[in-house]
Coordinates of all heavy atoms in Angstrom, one line a residue:
L25 N -8.6 14.8 9.4 CA -8.5 13.5 8.7 C -9.2 12.4 9.4 O -9.9 11.6 8.8 CB -7.0 13.1 8.5 CG -6.2 14.1 7.6 CD1 -4.7 13.6 7.5 CD2 -6.8 14.1 6.2
E26 N -9.1 12.4 10.7 CA -9.7 11.3 11.5 C -11.3 11.4 11.3 O -11.9 10.4 11.2 CB -9.4 11.5 13.0 CG -9.9 10.4 13.9 CD -9.4 10.6 15.3 OE1 -8.2 10.6 15.6 OE2 -10.3 10.7 16.2
K27 N -11.8 12.6 11.3 CA -13.3 12.7 11.1 C -13.7 12.2 9.7 O -14.8 11.8 9.6 CB -13.7 14.2 11.2 CG -13.7 14.7 12.7 CD -14.1 16.2 12.7 CE -14.0 16.6 14.2 NZ -14.4 18.1 14.3
A28 N -12.8 12.3 8.8 CA -13.0 11.8 7.4 C -12.7 10.3 7.3 O -12.8 9.7 6.2 CB -12.3 12.6 6.4
G29 N -12.3 9.6 8.4 CA -12.0 8.2 8.3 C -10.6 7.9 7.8 O -10.3 6.8 7.4
I30 N -9.7 8.9 7.8 CA -8.3 8.7 7.3 C -7.4 8.7 8.5 O -7.3 9.7 9.3 CB -7.9 9.8 6.4 CG1 -8.8 9.9 5.2 CG2 -6.4 9.7 5.9 CD1 -8.6 11.1 4.3
R31 N -6.7 7.6 8.8 CA -5.8 7.5 9.9 C -4.4 8.1 9.5 O -4.0 8.0 8.4 CB -5.6 6.0 10.3 CG -6.9 5.4 10.7 CD -6.7 4.0 11.2 NE -6.1 4.1 12.5 CZ -5.7 3.0 13.2 NH1 -5.7 1.8 12.6 NH2 -5.2 3.2 14.4
S32 N -3.8 8.8 10.5 CA -2.6 9.4 10.3 C -1.7 9.4 11.5 O -2.2 9.1 12.6 CB -2.8 10.9 9.9 OG -3.4 11.6 10.9
A33 N -0.4 9.6 11.4 CA 0.5 9.7 12.5 C 1.3 11.0 12.3 O 1.7 11.4 11.2 CB 1.4 8.5 12.5
I34 N 1.6 11.7 13.5 CA 2.4 12.9 13.5 C 3.8 12.5 13.6 O 4.2 11.7 14.5 CB 1.9 13.8 14.6 CG1 0.5 14.2 14.4 CG2 2.8 15.0 14.8 CD1 -0.1 15.0 15.6
L35 N 4.7 13.2 12.8 CA 6.1 12.9 12.9 C 6.9 14.2 12.6 O 6.3 15.1 11.9 CB 6.6 11.8 12.0 CG 6.3 12.0 10.5 CD1 7.6 11.7 9.8 CD2 5.2 11.0 10.1
R36 N 8.1 14.3 13.1 CA 9.0 15.4 12.6 C 9.3 15.2 11.2 O 9.5 14.1 10.7 CB 10.3 15.4 13.4 CG 10.2 15.7 14.9 CD 10.1 17.2 15.2 NE 11.1 18.0 14.6 CZ 12.1 18.5 15.2 NH1 12.4 18.2 16.5 NH2 13.0 19.3 14.6
T37 N 9.2 16.2 10.4 CA 9.5 16.1 9.0 C 10.9 15.6 8.8 O 11.9 16.3 9.3 CB 9.3 17.4 8.3 OG1 7.9 17.9 8.5 CG2 9.5 17.3 6.8
P38 N 11.2 14.6 8.0 CA 12.5 14.1 7.7 C 13.3 15.3 7.0 O 12.7 16.1 6.2 CB 12.4 13.0 6.7 CG 11.0 12.4 7.0 CD 10.2 13.7 7.4
E39 N 14.6 15.4 7.4 CA 15.4 16.6 6.9 C 15.3 16.8 5.4 O 15.3 17.9 4.9 CB 16.8 16.4 7.4 CG 17.0 16.8 8.8 CD 18.5 16.7 9.2 OE1 19.3 17.1 8.4 OE2 18.8 16.3 10.3
E40 N 15.3 15.6 4.7 CA 15.4 15.8 3.2 C 14.1 16.4 2.6 O 14.1 16.8 1.5 CB 15.7 14.4 2.5 CG 14.6 13.4 2.7 CD 14.9 12.4 3.9 OE1 15.6 12.8 4.8 OE2 14.4 11.3 3.9
F41 N 13.0 16.4 3.4 CA 11.7 17.0 2.9 C 11.4 18.3 3.6 O 10.5 19.0 3.1 CB 10.6 16.0 3.2 CG 10.8 14.7 2.6 CD1 10.7 13.5 3.3 CD2 11.2 14.5 1.2 CE1 10.9 12.3 2.8 CE2 11.4 13.3 0.7 CZ 11.3 12.2 1.5
A42 N 12.1 18.7 4.6 CA 11.8 20.0 5.3 C 12.3 21.1 4.4 O 13.5 21.1 4.0 CB 12.5 20.0 6.7
Q43 N 11.5 22.1 4.2 CA 11.8 23.2 3.3 C 12.6 24.2 4.0 O 13.5 24.8 3.5 CB 10.6 23.8 2.7 CG 9.9 22.8 1.8 CD 8.6 23.3 1.2 OE1 8.1 24.3 1.6 NE2 8.0 22.6 0.3
R44 N 12.2 24.5 5.3 CA 13.0 25.5 6.1 C 12.8 25.2 7.5 O 11.7 25.0 8.0 CB 12.7 26.9 5.8 CG 11.3 27.1 5.5 CD 11.0 28.5 5.1 NE 9.6 28.4 4.5 CZ 8.7 29.3 4.5 NH1 9.0 30.5 5.0 NH2 7.6 29.1 4.0
G45 N 13.9 25.0 8.2 CA 13.8 24.8 9.7 C 13.1 23.5 10.0 O 13.0 22.6 9.2
C46 N 12.7 23.4 11.2 CA 11.9 22.2 11.6 C 10.5 22.4 11.3 O 9.9 23.5 11.4 CB 12.2 21.9 13.1 SG 11.1 22.8 14.2
S47 N 9.9 21.3 10.9 CA 8.4 21.3 10.6 C 7.9 19.9 11.0 O 8.7 19.0 11.4 CB 8.1 21.6 9.2 OG 8.6 20.6 8.3
Y48 N 6.6 19.8 11.0 CA 6.0 18.5 11.4 C 5.2 18.0 10.2 O 4.8 18.8 9.3 CB 5.1 18.7 12.6 CG 6.0 18.7 13.9 CD1 6.6 19.9 14.3 CD2 6.1 17.6 14.6 CE1 7.4 19.9 15.4 CE2 6.9 17.6 15.8 CZ 7.6 18.8 16.1 OH 8.3 18.8 17.2
S49 N 5.0 16.7 10.2 CA 4.3 16.1 9.1 C 3.2 15.1 9.6 O 3.3 14.7 10.7 CB 5.2 15.3 8.2 OG 6.1 16.2 7.5
L50 N 2.3 14.8 8.7 CA 1.4 13.7 8.9 C 1.7 12.6 7.9 O 1.8 12.8 6.7 CB -0.1 14.2 8.7 CG -0.6 15.1 9.7 CD1 -2.0 15.7 9.3 CD2 -0.7 14.5 11.1
A51 N 1.8 11.4 8.4 CA 2.0 10.2 7.6 C 0.7 9.6 7.4 O 0.0 9.3 8.4 CB 3.0 9.2 8.2
V52 N 0.3 9.4 6.2 CA -1.0 8.8 5.9 C -0.8 7.6 4.9 O 0.1 7.6 4.1 CB -2.0 9.8 5.3 CG1 -2.3 10.9 6.2 CG2 -1.5 10.3 4.0
S53 N -1.8 6.6 4.9 CA -1.8 5.6 4.0 C -2.7 6.0 2.8 O -3.7 6.6 3.0 CB -2.3 4.3 4.6 OG -1.5 3.8 5.6
G54 N -2.3 5.5 1.6 CA -3.1 5.8 0.4 C -2.6 7.1 -0.3 O -1.5 7.5 -0.2
D55 N -3.6 7.7 -1.0 CA -3.3 8.9 -1.8 C -3.1 10.1 -0.9 O -4.0 10.6 -0.4 CB -4.4 9.1 -2.8 CG -4.2 10.3 -3.7 OD1 -3.0 10.6 -3.9 OD2 -5.2 10.8 -4.2
G56 N -1.9 10.6 -0.9 CA -1.6 11.8 -0.1 C -2.2 13.1 -0.6 O -2.6 14.0 0.1
R57 N -2.4 13.1 -2.0 CA -3.0 14.3 -2.6 C -4.5 14.5 -2.1 O -4.9 15.6 -1.8 CB -3.0 14.2 -4.1 CG -3.5 15.3 -4.9 CD -2.8 16.7 -4.8 NE -1.6 17.0 -4.3 CZ -1.4 18.1 -3.4 NH1 -2.3 18.9 -3.1 NH2 -0.2 18.3 -3.0
T58 N -5.2 13.4 -2.0 CA -6.6 13.5 -1.5 C -6.6 14.0 0.0 O -7.4 14.9 0.3 CB -7.3 12.1 -1.5 OG1 -7.3 11.6 -2.9 CG2 -8.7 12.1 -1.0
A59 N -5.8 13.5 0.8 CA -5.7 14.0 2.2 C -5.3 15.4 2.2 O -5.8 16.2 3.0 CB -4.7 13.1 3.0
A60 N -4.3 15.8 1.4 CA -3.8 17.2 1.4 C -5.0 18.2 0.9 O -5.1 19.2 1.5 CB -2.6 17.4 0.4
D61 N -5.7 17.7 -0.1 CA -6.9 18.6 -0.5 C -7.9 18.8 0.6 O -8.4 19.9 0.8 CB -7.5 17.9 -1.7 CG -6.7 18.0 -3.0 OD1 -5.7 18.8 -3.0 OD2 -7.0 17.3 -4.0

Side-chain angles (χ1 to χ4, degrees):
L25 293 177
E26 187 176 300
K27 287 180 183 179
I30 301 171
R31 297 183 79 188
S32 64
I34 297 173
L35 60 130
R36 292 280 308 258
T37 302
E39 284 185 35
E40 64 265 24
F41 306 127
Q43 294 175 352
R44 35 187 166 149
C46 81
S47 63
Y48 283 80
S49 294
L50 289 172
V52 297
S53 294
D55 180 25
R57 183 65 9 228
T58 301
D61 289 344

